[in-house]
Amino acid sequence: MRLHKRHDFPGKLLVVEGVDGSGKSTQLDLLRNWLVSKEQSVIFTEWNSSALISKTIKKAKQTNSLIPVTFSLLHATDFADRLENIIIPALKAGLIVLADRYCYTAFARDVARGVNKDWVRSLYGFSIRPDGAFYFQVPVEVSLSRIATSRRPGFYEAGMDIGLSSDPIESFQIFQSRIISEYDNMAEEFDFHVMPAEKTIHEQQMLFRQIATKILND
Ligand SMILES: Nc1ncnc2c1ncn2[C@@H]1O[C@H](COP(=O)(O)OP(=O)(O)OP(=O)(O)O)[C@@H](O)[C@H]1O
Ligand SMILES: [Mg+2]
């Protein structure tokens, strides 16, 4: 699996992972702005955004018509498209690639949906190993309270598709707790930098910059 080997492109790939509401996008935005202010060449890519497939995924989600395996396959297609057309070309060109979620999102979510762990990992066997994978670790109550201030959890976000509970909040808690435990189990296997995501935005950003700088200068 390419995920366990270092790539030899001149660029660097940094990815953020964690449950919904863990603060990934907040931290990655701040890091991006900081790197740009230092005149670094940065590009950004996020989960479920490929020109090829993201509209199909959004449509299928709107009609709640995905089952765990089709959910997994469609997201793998989105990822493969962005890897080949955005991430790898940028790394070849020596850019810093910042990815908001990476294949570990599938490893956590799809397995939490009951999909076989080895099957998901082999599905994403074409992935390349990031230079830094940052896991924003928070208890489920914190992520729920952060999300609740702006929106209700979505059908799939709450795991309503796998019938955990008819109550969206209860379902969210059960499903996201499963995802957190998958992430926790992966931390060592994939050398995650575990970020204390309950801390203030500023404290985490200082730590994020410090670790990122070390990786980028390596
Ligand atoms: N350290 C923090 N302390 C308090 N609130 C925070 C912190 N970090 C982020 N938030 C707030 O929590 C909410 C969710 O943050 P953000 O969108 O960055 O999470 P996310 O991990 O990207 O979620 P998603 O996976 O749903 O995209 C936002 O309103 C953000 O302002
Ligand atoms: Mg986000």
Side-chain angles (χ1 to χ4, degrees), residues 16 19-26 44 46 100-101 151:
V16 294
V19 282
D20 299 303
S22 54
K24 301 176 294 300
S25 304
T26 304
F44 168 80
E46 65 183 321
D100 195 336
R101 296 186 172 281
R151 58 189 164 92

Short mmCIF file of all heavy atoms in Angstrom, two decimals, residues 16 19-26 44 46 100-101 151, ligand 2:
data_model
loop_
_atom_site.label_atom_id
_atom_site.label_comp_id
_atom_site.label_asym_id
_atom_site.label_seq_id
_atom_site.Cartn_x
_atom_site.Cartn_y
_atom_site.Cartn_z
N VAL A 16 -5.92 17.32 7.11
CA VAL A 16 -6.58 17.41 8.43
C VAL A 16 -7.72 16.40 8.49
O VAL A 16 -8.41 16.16 7.49
CB VAL A 16 -7.11 18.83 8.74
CG1 VAL A 16 -5.97 19.81 8.89
CG2 VAL A 16 -8.12 19.33 7.70
N VAL A 19 -13.72 14.40 13.43
CA VAL A 19 -15.18 14.39 13.24
C VAL A 19 -15.70 15.75 12.82
O VAL A 19 -14.99 16.77 12.93
CB VAL A 19 -15.95 13.94 14.51
CG1 VAL A 19 -15.90 12.44 14.70
CG2 VAL A 19 -15.50 14.68 15.74
N ASP A 20 -16.94 15.78 12.38
CA ASP A 20 -17.61 17.04 12.02
C ASP A 20 -17.57 17.97 13.24
O ASP A 20 -17.86 17.54 14.35
CB ASP A 20 -19.07 16.77 11.63
CG ASP A 20 -19.18 15.84 10.43
OD1 ASP A 20 -18.61 16.17 9.39
OD2 ASP A 20 -19.80 14.77 10.56
N GLY A 21 -17.23 19.21 12.99
CA GLY A 21 -17.22 20.19 14.08
C GLY A 21 -15.97 20.15 14.95
O GLY A 21 -15.89 20.84 15.96
N SER A 22 -14.96 19.37 14.54
CA SER A 22 -13.75 19.31 15.38
C SER A 22 -12.83 20.51 15.16
O SER A 22 -11.85 20.69 15.89
CB SER A 22 -12.99 17.99 15.14
OG SER A 22 -12.71 17.81 13.77
N GLY A 23 -13.14 21.32 14.14
CA GLY A 23 -12.36 22.55 13.92
C GLY A 23 -11.33 22.45 12.81
O GLY A 23 -10.47 23.32 12.67
N LYS A 24 -11.41 21.41 11.99
CA LYS A 24 -10.44 21.20 10.91
C LYS A 24 -10.35 22.38 9.95
O LYS A 24 -9.28 22.90 9.65
CB LYS A 24 -10.83 19.97 10.05
CG LYS A 24 -10.93 18.68 10.77
CD LYS A 24 -11.42 17.57 9.85
CE LYS A 24 -12.83 17.72 9.34
NZ LYS A 24 -13.87 17.76 10.36
N SER A 25 -11.53 22.80 9.42
CA SER A 25 -11.52 23.85 8.39
C SER A 25 -11.04 25.17 8.97
O SER A 25 -10.33 25.93 8.30
CB SER A 25 -12.92 24.02 7.79
OG SER A 25 -13.36 22.79 7.29
N THR A 26 -11.43 25.44 10.22
CA THR A 26 -10.99 26.68 10.89
C THR A 26 -9.46 26.71 10.94
O THR A 26 -8.83 27.70 10.58
CB THR A 26 -11.55 26.70 12.34
OG1 THR A 26 -12.97 26.57 12.28
CG2 THR A 26 -11.16 27.95 13.09
N PHE A 44 -5.36 24.14 -2.16
CA PHE A 44 -6.28 23.56 -1.18
C PHE A 44 -7.25 22.64 -1.91
O PHE A 44 -7.69 22.92 -3.01
CB PHE A 44 -7.04 24.71 -0.52
CG PHE A 44 -8.22 24.29 0.31
CD1 PHE A 44 -8.04 23.80 1.59
CD2 PHE A 44 -9.52 24.38 -0.20
CE1 PHE A 44 -9.13 23.40 2.35
CE2 PHE A 44 -10.60 23.98 0.56
CZ PHE A 44 -10.41 23.49 1.84
N GLU A 46 -10.67 19.82 -0.96
CA GLU A 46 -11.48 19.25 0.12
C GLU A 46 -12.29 18.06 -0.32
O GLU A 46 -12.56 17.88 -1.50
CB GLU A 46 -12.38 20.32 0.76
CG GLU A 46 -13.42 20.89 -0.13
CD GLU A 46 -14.23 22.00 0.54
OE1 GLU A 46 -14.52 21.88 1.75
OE2 GLU A 46 -14.55 22.97 -0.15
N ASP A 100 -8.48 19.15 3.14
CA ASP A 100 -9.48 19.11 4.21
C ASP A 100 -10.16 17.75 4.10
O ASP A 100 -11.04 17.57 3.27
CB ASP A 100 -10.47 20.26 4.04
CG ASP A 100 -11.31 20.50 5.30
OD1 ASP A 100 -11.46 19.55 6.09
OD2 ASP A 100 -11.81 21.63 5.47
N ARG A 101 -9.72 16.81 4.88
CA ARG A 101 -10.08 15.39 4.90
C ARG A 101 -9.30 14.65 3.81
O ARG A 101 -9.04 15.19 2.74
CB ARG A 101 -11.58 15.14 4.71
CG ARG A 101 -12.45 15.71 5.85
CD ARG A 101 -13.89 15.29 5.65
NE ARG A 101 -14.75 15.63 6.77
CZ ARG A 101 -14.82 14.94 7.89
NH1 ARG A 101 -14.10 13.87 8.04
NH2 ARG A 101 -15.63 15.32 8.86
N ARG A 151 -26.07 24.70 12.62
CA ARG A 151 -26.93 23.87 11.76
C ARG A 151 -27.34 22.60 12.49
O ARG A 151 -26.76 22.24 13.51
CB ARG A 151 -26.18 23.50 10.48
CG ARG A 151 -24.88 22.75 10.73
CD ARG A 151 -24.08 22.60 9.43
NE ARG A 151 -22.70 22.25 9.67
CZ ARG A 151 -22.23 21.02 9.72
NH1 ARG A 151 -23.02 20.00 9.51
NH2 ARG A 151 -20.96 20.77 9.95
MG MG B 2 -15.00 21.63 7.60
#
